[in-house]
Amino acid sequence: MKRIKLLFVTVTLVVHVGAQTPQQGDGKPKTKKEVESELVNYGISLVFDAQGQNPYYFYQARCKQGWVFRMEGDWGNQSIVVDESAGKVYKLNDTKKTGEVRPFDAKFAYQGFDRMLAAHLFMHASMMDESGFKKTGNEKIIGRDATVYTYVYGDGLGTFWIDNRYGFTLKYIQTGPNPIRTEVTEFKTGGVTLSDVVKLDEYRITEIK
């Protein structure tokens, strides 16, 4: 069976309801680079569930001020908040409500989707150009138009719901010996700010110079 290898970690879901970018597009799957070039202000949360494991959650946001990535699961609940406009980087423990802040360094500049989140949003990437990757229908996921694709593995089936507007995987279900389910639970474009995404005054923060 051709399996997708993933790194499993997660995120506290903090998303705010707001106006969405008008949905357009034809549901054609896109690459990570293509999607990142379009999303300059967004917030996205995702849940990953595999047989025999506890669910994992991811959240990432980007805005003019900076970006945030959160993880929630067996490895702990943690966030990184990069406030580029203020020149600060926060590493937070979301369970204990503690954290550290240090001066911004170029290595923390936004570089697109975190690799752990991207592994789920682009589960279609390795097979999108194969003849066995077939369009089978259309549905709505979290109110968004999606095109359904399927791919037959040696001993199972992968079903992908691709966002019509942006071309990333909104939902994926894998059947067979290693069942997997991953799904975007909320997605917002436009109007995202760091102050909406994280409340720093709720944390005991130590300054690291």
Side-chain angles (χ1 to χ4, degrees), residues 125-157:
S126 64
M127 59 200 70
M128 58 187 283
D129 295 324
E130 296 189 20
S131 60
F133 188 71
K134 298 180 179 180
K135 185 185 297 187
T136 58
N138 298 278
E139 292 183 24
K140 281 189 178 289
I141 303 295
I142 59 167
R144 297 188 62 82
D145 295 329
T147 299
V148 185
Y149 292 81
T150 57
Y151 187 89
V152 179
Y153 302 110
D155 52 0
L157 176 70

Side-chain angles (χ1 to χ4, degrees), residues 154-204:
D155 52 0
L157 176 70
T159 304
F160 305 76
W161 285 259
I162 303 295
D163 185 81
N164 275 15
R165 170 66 178 85
Y166 290 102
F168 61 80
T169 300
L170 280 169
K171 179 179 177 181
Y172 172 73
I173 294 179
Q174 178 176 299
T175 61
N178 300 289
I180 290 174
R181 182 187 183 94
T182 184
E183 185 169 0
V184 170
T185 55
E186 295 187 70
F187 176 51
K188 177 181 179 179
T189 58
V192 176
T193 65
L194 289 187
S195 60
D196 288 334
V197 170
V198 63
K199 306 299 183 185
L200 292 172
D201 58 1
E202 297 178 354
Y203 293 79
R204 299 190 312 275

Side-chain angles (χ1 to χ4, degrees), residues 12-173:
T12 303
L13 302 181
V14 179
V15 176
H16 304 272
V17 177
Q20 298 290 322
T21 301
Q23 295 182 43
Q24 304 167 353
D26 57 4
K28 180 181 178 181
K30 295 181 181 179
T31 65
K32 177 175 177 288
K33 185 176 180 179
E34 287 175 319
V35 176
E36 287 172 341
S37 69
E38 293 191 66
L39 288 178
V40 296
N41 183 287
Y42 69 88
I44 189 167
S45 56
L46 178 148
V47 59
F48 168 81
D49 194 5
Q51 182 172 281
Q53 299 184 45
N54 292 324
Y56 291 85
Y57 305 90
F58 303 80
Y59 175 77
Q60 187 163 355
R62 184 197 181 190
C63 61
K64 185 177 181 179
Q65 188 180 0
W67 61 278
V68 175
F69 180 68
R70 291 193 176 117
M71 305 181 294
E72 179 183 326
D74 289 344
W75 296 354
N77 302 344
Q78 304 171 44
S79 297
I80 179 168
V81 180
V82 180
D83 188 340
E84 294 190 43
S85 64
K88 296 181 179 181
V89 176
Y90 299 84
K91 291 186 177 181
L92 307 176
N93 184 313
D94 295 319
T95 303
K96 297 180 179 180
K97 291 296 181 180
T98 60
E100 298 177 347
V101 59
R102 65 192 67 219
F104 174 79
D105 185 282
K107 68 181 179 182
F108 292 107
Y110 180 76
Q111 297 180 21
F113 292 117
D114 183 272
R115 61 189 177 88
M116 291 175 288
L117 179 60
H120 301 281
L121 295 178
F122 300 95
M123 298 184 77
H124 60 270
S126 64
M127 59 200 70
M128 58 187 283
D129 295 324
E130 296 189 20
S131 60
F133 188 71
K134 298 180 179 180
K135 185 185 297 187
T136 58
N138 298 278
E139 292 183 24
K140 281 189 178 289
I141 303 295
I142 59 167
R144 297 188 62 82
D145 295 329
T147 299
V148 185
Y149 292 81
T150 57
Y151 187 89
V152 179
Y153 302 110
D155 52 0
L157 176 70
T159 304
F160 305 76
W161 285 259
I162 303 295
D163 185 81
N164 275 15
R165 170 66 178 85
Y166 290 102
F168 61 80
T169 300
L170 280 169
K171 179 179 177 181
Y172 172 73
I173 294 179

